[in-house]
Amino acid sequence: MGNIKKIITALVVTTIVMGGLVGCGSNSLKKGDSSVSNTSSIAAIKKRGVIKIGVFSDKAPFGYVDSNGKNQGFDVYIAKRFAKDLLGDETKVQFVLVDAASRVAYLESKKVDVIMANFTVTDERSQKVDFTNPYMKVSLGIVSPNNAKITSVDQLKGKKVIIAKGTTAETFLTKNYPDIQLQKYEQYSEIFQALKDKRGDAIVSDNTEVIAWAKDNKNFTVGVPTLGSGDKIAPAVAKGNKELKDWINTELVTLGKEKFIHKAYEATLTPVYGQKFEENLVIEGGKSK
């Protein structure tokens, strides 16, 4: 009987010890070393066979859907090259259409691997997503009717200013000019129609966007081409996805050697802005000069 008790005791102790070891191993895996969790990122994309990239559908010339239902624009052009270099074929990209306010949420919910929807780098956004190095630089601008032209931000006081929700324009004006009345819309396409319909006195948005629009709409003028400090445009990945972030940063350096971002500008933006703005907008190799 004594021997049986000893055997049972030994088995219990062994079970506890083994259980403890398994528990330690399990906790270690859950907490994960960054290399474990991050390695699965690109591996999962390759296993899936496509990279999911969030782009705009209504913000020409950066991201839009053409009359044939195909994604086009500066961001799309670069995104296709990412797919080619990661997966061997530029068609192996699934474009997910986003609006300005949903970009962070789409990364957090893993609906996309990367956001390339003309995404401006800010401290607030950097707390929720991880930005890679940039490929473009912009600032805000103000467009208004020719017969009531706004040439200074101070002239916006007492007027209705049209903006798109979730943009740097909203953040900038709310922080620096809280007394200015904001007329907010979900889609970029809505803000321009709102100005045409006289639902507001001016639009504040990216200078690239308002300059392009004003060229096609002769009754409107960009009276303030540069507002606030310059900003950077960069791809973004989910918070903590270091592997994919590092891959994109390395890719931007590689593309810089062939001046690919300049090629993307010339293919998609030159018809809108001309060559004289190229060096003001393009960041090559992931780093501004």
Side-chain angles (χ1 to χ4, degrees):
M1 183 66 106
N3 289 336
I4 293 175
K5 286 184 178 180
K6 287 180 182 179
I7 293 171
I8 292 173
T9 301
L11 288 171
V12 171
V13 171
T14 301
T15 302
I16 291 172
V17 171
M18 291 301 291
L21 289 174
V22 172
C24 289
S26 176
N27 288 338
S28 176
L29 187 60
K30 284 181 182 177
K31 288 180 181 177
D33 160 59
S34 61
S35 63
V36 174
S37 59
N38 291 329
T39 299
S40 66
S41 170
I42 288 180
I45 292 170
K46 288 184 175 180
K47 184 177 180 181
R48 187 197 308 142
V50 295
I51 182 169
K52 296 185 289 184
I53 298 181
V55 295
F56 282 130
S57 64
D58 64 342
K59 193 177 181 183
F62 301 99
Y64 64 99
V65 177
D66 67 16
S67 58
N68 295 316
K70 293 184 177 181
N71 295 92
Q72 304 287 359
F74 183 64
D75 295 337
V76 171
Y77 192 99
I78 299 169
K80 286 180 178 179
R81 179 58 184 267
F82 283 2
K84 179 180 179 181
D85 290 348
L86 182 62
L87 300 172
D89 187 338
E90 71 169 27
T91 66
K92 291 184 176 181
V93 55
Q94 177 185 337
F95 290 114
V96 179
L97 304 183
V98 300
D99 55 43
S102 69
R103 290 174 292 192
V104 170
Y106 270 50
L107 279 174
E108 291 178 330
S109 61
K110 296 182 174 58
K111 291 181 180 178
V112 296
D113 301 306
V114 185
I115 285 288
M116 292 189 69
N118 208 234
F119 212 6
T120 305
V121 179
T122 67
D123 291 338
E124 182 181 0
R125 289 170 179 168
S126 294
Q127 294 175 13
K128 299 178 180 179
V129 303
D130 283 344
F131 286 99
T132 72
N133 291 333
Y135 58 88
M136 190 175 180
K137 49 194 172 183
V138 296
S139 65
L140 297 174
I142 303 175
V143 62
S144 53
N146 291 341
N147 58 6
K149 186 164 65 173
I150 301 295
T151 57
S152 167
V153 67
D154 294 329
Q155 293 176 322
L156 295 177
K157 293 177 181 178
K159 294 183 169 60
K160 290 183 179 179
V161 178
I162 299 167
I163 61 165
K165 290 182 181 179
T167 60
T168 49
E170 180 179 16
T171 303
F172 176 81
L173 293 173
T174 301
K175 179 180 179 181
N176 298 289
Y177 299 93
D179 296 332
I180 292 178
Q181 182 180 350
L182 302 181
Q183 195 87 3
K184 304 178 183 181
Y185 294 90
E186 295 287 345
Q187 302 288 339
Y188 277 102
S189 55
E190 293 179 285
I191 66 176
F192 295 111
Q193 190 58 48
L195 186 60
K196 283 184 175 182
D197 294 344
K198 299 181 180 180
R199 283 176 272 163
D201 300 290
I203 289 173
V204 176
S205 193
D206 292 349
N207 60 350
T208 49
E209 181 184 344
V210 295
I211 290 169
W213 185 79
K215 283 187 176 183
D216 290 335
N217 293 270
K218 302 303 181 183
N219 294 326
F220 299 88
T221 300
V222 178
V224 181
T226 303
L227 175 63
S229 59
D231 292 307
K232 303 291 191 297
I233 301 295
V237 299
K239 198 71 179 171
N241 193 346
K242 185 177 183 299
E243 189 199 22
L244 187 54
K245 175 183 174 180
D246 289 348
W247 184 89
I248 293 174
N249 283 337
T250 300
E251 173 76 350
L252 289 171
V253 172
T254 301
L255 295 180
K257 295 175 182 177
E258 62 179 85
K259 300 292 184 183
F260 179 80
I261 305 302
H262 281 80
K263 292 177 183 177
Y265 180 98
E266 289 156 12
T268 62
L269 302 187
T270 295
V272 179
Y273 303 111
Q275 291 184 337
K276 69 177 181 178
F277 290 107
E278 188 167 345
E279 294 305 322
N280 298 96
L281 298 174
V282 167
I283 295 178
E284 196 70 76
K287 294 182 179 180
S288 54
K289 296 178 181 179

